[in-house]
């Protein structure tokens, strides 16, 4: 069965430090991969997505993610975190033919220290 | 602002009440979705509508009843809910289901925080 694992429930980083949020997936075929961000009291906003092609994808707000098929991973990175990046981040895998068939991870909450 | 608006933002209801959640999008999208976000659980897809027809129902209890009167509006009718139904209910829309064009981006509303007492 398809699944998405975000092993870190909560991460705290200092402002200006680099960030990497982990995501591993289990899916038999080539996955469609997404990262979403959710600020408190808000809905989900798409940060970036991978469908095919270059395995390093750039997103909004200075985020990037790298698809590594051999590791079944799609980790999210940012070289320098800003206080406004504090939020919850969700990795998701799409399967079948429908955008609606997204499987989400449980999320990683990011806190940013001044 | 993503173009998907959900009302109300917060709702408290008793187990015997009937209420409805509303979602509206003016993005010209053809597909709309209801998701449930519970504490410490992954987002769960509840319903998918494409061109006003339901295309997926992920074993959701009948106390949740969706309605899609047109491509811009989606409702979730609630009746005789249980306390465990308390959650954030998110609506999303996308251009289409992505079956022929590959995946299209989903735009989420801000959600309705539902508390069942």
């Amino acid at each position: 069965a398809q699944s998405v694992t975000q092993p870190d429930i909560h991460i705290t980083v200092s402002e200006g430090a680099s960030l990497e949020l982990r995501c591993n997936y289990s899916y038999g075929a080539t996955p469609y991969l997404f990262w979403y961000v959710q600020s408190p009291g808000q809905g989900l906003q798409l940060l970036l997505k991978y469908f095919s092609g270059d395995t390093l994808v750039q997103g909004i707000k200075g985020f990037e993610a790298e698809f590594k098929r051999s590791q079944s991973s799609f980790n999210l990175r940012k070289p320098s975190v800003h206080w406004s990046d504090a939020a919850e981040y969700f990795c998701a895998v799409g399967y079948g033919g429908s955008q609606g068939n997204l499987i989400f991870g449980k999320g990683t909450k990011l806190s940013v220290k001044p | 602002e993503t173009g998907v608006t959900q009302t109300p933002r917060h709702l408290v209801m008793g187990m015997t009440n009937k209420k409805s959640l509303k979602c509206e999008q003016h993005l010209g999208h053809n597909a709309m979705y209801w998701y449930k976000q519970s504490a410490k659980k992954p987002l769960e897809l509840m319903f998918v509508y494409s061109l006003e027809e339901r295309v997926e129902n992920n074993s959701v209890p009948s106390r949740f009843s969706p309605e899609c009167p047109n491509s811009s509006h989606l409702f979730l009718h609630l009746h005789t809910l249980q306390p465990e139904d308390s959650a954030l209910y998110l609506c999303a829309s996308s251009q289409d289901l992505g079956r022929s064009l590959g995946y299209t981006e989903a735009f989420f509303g801000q959600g309705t925080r539902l508390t069942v007492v």
Side-chain angles (χ1 to χ4, degrees):
Chain A
Q2 299 90 348
S3 65
V4 177
T5 302
Q6 292 180 248
D8 303 306
I9 296 173
H10 190 184
I11 284 182
T12 300
V13 300
S14 298
E15 191 168 16
S18 63
L19 170 71
E20 183 169 30
L21 301 182
R22 296 182 289 167
C23 173
N24 293 94
Y25 64 90
S26 170
Y27 182 57
T30 301
Y32 298 92
L33 297 160
F34 307 80
W35 274 101
Y36 284 87
V37 61
Q38 185 179 33
S39 299
Q42 303 295 315
L44 277 70
Q45 181 184 20
L46 181 69
L47 281 177
L48 47 77
K49 58 191 175 187
Y50 170 78
F51 291 169
S52 64
D54 193 345
T55 56
L56 183 63
V57 293
Q58 302 297 320
I60 61 171
K61 305 184 180 185
F63 285 92
E64 65 177 27
E66 186 172 13
F67 169 55
K68 293 185 177 180
R69 185 188 301 275
S70 61
Q71 299 176 18
S72 297
S73 69
F74 188 57
N75 293 348
L76 182 71
R77 301 194 294 247
K78 186 169 185 178
S80 177
V81 169
H82 188 262
W83 63 267
S84 60
D85 293 324
E88 191 153 19
Y89 292 79
F90 293 90
C91 180
V93 172
Y95 67 97
S98 168
Q99 166 81 21
N101 287 333
L102 283 175
I103 298 176
F104 284 85
K106 291 187 178 182
T108 297
K109 184 176 179 180
L110 173 66
S111 297
V112 180
K113 292 189 300 184
Chain B
E1 179 59 51
T2 63
V4 180
T5 304
Q6 290 186 242
T7 54
R9 292 293 307 278
H10 300 272
L11 177 63
V12 179
M13 60 185 289
M15 290 189 285
T16 58
N17 291 158
K18 289 185 179 181
K19 297 286 184 182
S20 295
L21 309 185
K22 179 182 177 182
C23 177
E24 186 173 355
Q25 60 91 7
H26 295 288
L27 300 170
H29 289 172
N30 295 319
M32 297 187 77
Y33 316 84
W34 279 116
Y35 283 87
K36 177 183 179 182
Q37 186 178 28
S38 304
K40 301 180 181 179
K41 291 178 67 176
L43 271 80
E44 303 169 68
L45 178 65
M46 300 176 71
F47 301 104
V48 181
Y49 275 83
S50 175
L51 297 172
E52 302 148 46
E53 289 190 14
R54 189 191 305 181
V55 297
E56 187 152 335
N57 173 358
N58 286 355
S59 302
V60 179
S62 60
R63 57 186 183 269
F64 295 92
S65 174
E67 178 190 4
C68 188
N70 55 62
S71 60
S72 298
H73 293 86
L74 184 65
F75 294 90
L76 188 61
H77 303 301
L78 316 171
H79 63 98
T80 59
L81 293 192
Q82 304 298 312
E84 59 265 28
D85 296 323
S86 299
L88 181 68
Y89 288 85
L90 291 165
C91 174
S93 72
S94 63
Q95 182 61 51
D96 57 34
L97 291 182
R99 287 183 175 139
S100 58
L101 300 177
Y103 280 73
T104 58
E105 177 180 349
F107 293 79
F108 283 81
Q110 294 179 310
T112 295
R113 173 68 63 186
L114 173 67
T115 303
V116 181
V117 298

